[in-house]
Amino acid sequence: MSDSVLKIDPNITESAEFLRARWKDKQPTTAIICGSGWAKISSGLTIIDEVPYHEIKCLSQTTIDGHISKLLLVKTSNSYALIFLGRRHYYEGVGWDPIAKPVLLCNEVGCKNLILTNAAGGISDSFDVGDLMIIEDHINFMGHNPLIGKNQLSTAPRFPDQTEIYCHKLQALAKKIGEEKTITLKTGIYLALSGPAFETPAEIRAYQTQGASAVGMSTVPEAMIANAIGLKTLGISCISNMAAGISKQPLSHEEVAENTTGTLPQMKILISKLLDSIT
Ligand code: HPA
């Protein structure tokens, strides 16, 4: 039987030791994994350190246009946070390990909270391009489960409960910040597919009847791994396009990246307030 992503990995331990030695008493409490269009949120934050992924043994270069491969340490009002600029995806064909490593590394360096961001195709009638959606729950349609295989981590249960995979308290906090800062936040269910092809209009109609509000190709494996190892998770999608068939335009990765730009000011305020408020 092969191991699942939940294994004892000397590269993760070594990478965490490397970062702890570099950052000393600057202990991060929250980490953000940036999806398409989200990397620019870091420009408004106080960056203390930048480490290219190739200097961190357990991390690997991203292969997607627009994804940088750098880890940032930023200062928040009462703590520190990690920002992963660039993520790996299942459609890259390299299995689950590269997707799991940033999540496992966050845990190993002592983070307690994980914010997962992405660009997603809107399905819900009430969504428009540029909307931000707090992920209330997800549907895993990736065709596989990242937790399959031998689980070597005694701290992670064999059968993780997924009733509250996205932390209700963090969702409430995001909504409160949205109200205070007049940032409209939609809520919904994120349905994840393996990609890399965008969906057909018939598939989107099928997912709509199954309760999906938005579709994408990431986030779900990281949320499942984070949940299994006990990290509190918040998921935020930027609706970069309306999904196939709802939008009459052909879809492209360029459009996905470009359409998040208009929402950048709101993304930046939301993220910086979240980092200052999460303890
Ligand atoms: N489908 C799948 N993934 C996506 C989409 C989409 O329409 N937009 C951004 N990521």
Side-chain angles (χ1 to χ4, degrees), residues 119-122 193 198-199 215-217 240-244 251 256:
L193 299 147
F198 287 110
E199 306 69 38
V215 271
M217 306 176 193
S240 55
N241 57 283
M242 293 311 287
L251 305 184
V256 165

Side-chain angles (χ1 to χ4, degrees), residues 1-276:
M1 190 190 7
S2 60
D3 291 331
S4 84
V5 295
L6 303 178
K7 56 182 162 238
I8 295 154
D9 184 338
N11 281 342
I12 294 178
T13 324
E14 206 179 298
S15 302
E17 274 165 14
F18 163 72
L19 294 173
R20 269 196 297 268
R22 191 169 166 127
W23 296 335
K24 311 238 163 26
D25 57 348
K26 299 183 185 73
Q27 171 64 56
T29 47
T30 301
I32 305 179
I33 297 181
C34 290
S36 294
W38 285 83
K40 293 197 188 93
I41 53 113
S42 59
S43 65
L45 301 171
T46 310
I47 299 171
I48 303 289
D49 195 16
E50 289 192 17
V51 195
Y53 282 1
H54 67 81
E55 289 181 19
I56 304 171
K57 205 160 182 186
C58 73
L59 298 183
S60 49
Q61 295 296 110
T62 54
T63 64
I64 317 305
D65 275 358
H67 281 246
I68 316 157
S69 298
K70 249 192 231 168
L71 177 62
L72 306 182
L73 179 73
V74 301
K75 176 91 187 80
T76 66
S77 64
N78 47 24
S79 182
Y80 293 88
L82 299 182
I83 319 263
F84 288 85
L85 299 179
R87 65 142 57 92
R88 306 301 305 272
H89 299 79
Y90 193 46
Y91 59 72
E92 293 174 66
V94 287
W96 297 115
D97 265 338
I99 301 169
K101 295 264 163 80
V103 181
L104 298 168
L105 181 63
C106 291
N107 191 46
E108 194 72 21
V109 297
C111 288
K112 302 290 175 221
N113 311 288
L114 179 64
I115 303 178
L116 298 170
T117 62
N118 61 50
I123 297 186
S124 169
D125 292 342
S126 64
F127 286 2
D128 289 310
V129 170
D131 279 350
L132 291 174
M133 177 186 94
I134 300 296
I135 304 178
E136 290 180 312
D137 203 350
H138 73 221
I139 300 172
N140 179 12
F141 262 19
M142 296 186 99
H144 218 295
N145 187 312
L147 304 178
I148 286 177
K150 190 159 167 265
N151 170 3
Q152 295 180 354
L153 299 186
S154 55
T155 46
R158 173 73 295 197
F159 302 105
D161 173 58
Q162 296 199 129
T163 314
E164 191 181 331
I165 196 153
Y166 300 92
C167 172
H168 291 173
K169 278 195 183 150
L170 291 180
Q171 289 184 54
L173 179 63
K175 287 177 194 165
K176 185 166 160 271
I177 292 169
E179 278 163 24
E180 282 167 8
K181 299 285 163 193
T182 54
I183 299 168
T184 306
L185 295 176
K186 308 269 171 88
T187 53
I189 308 299
Y190 178 89
L191 184 143
L193 299 147
S194 68
F198 287 110
E199 306 69 38
T200 65
E203 286 167 342
I204 293 298
R205 285 193 296 275
Y207 302 146
Q208 194 167 31
T209 63
Q210 286 167 331
S213 319
V215 271
M217 306 176 193
S218 68
T219 303
V220 161
E222 290 130 333
M224 292 176 70
I225 295 160
N227 176 68
I229 59 175
L231 291 173
K232 301 254 175 277
T233 301
L234 177 68
I236 315 172
S237 299
C238 179
I239 304 300
S240 55
N241 57 283
M242 293 311 287
I246 298 177
S247 160
K248 301 300 168 215
Q249 311 292 327
L251 305 184
S252 72
H253 177 66
E254 290 69 31
E255 179 199 15
V256 165
E258 279 164 22
N259 285 350
T260 53
T261 312
T263 314
L264 192 60
Q266 290 93 313
M267 290 162 149
K268 280 167 103 169
I269 297 170
L270 179 62
I271 293 293
S272 88
K273 291 289 153 203
L274 274 167
L275 293 181
D276 283 344

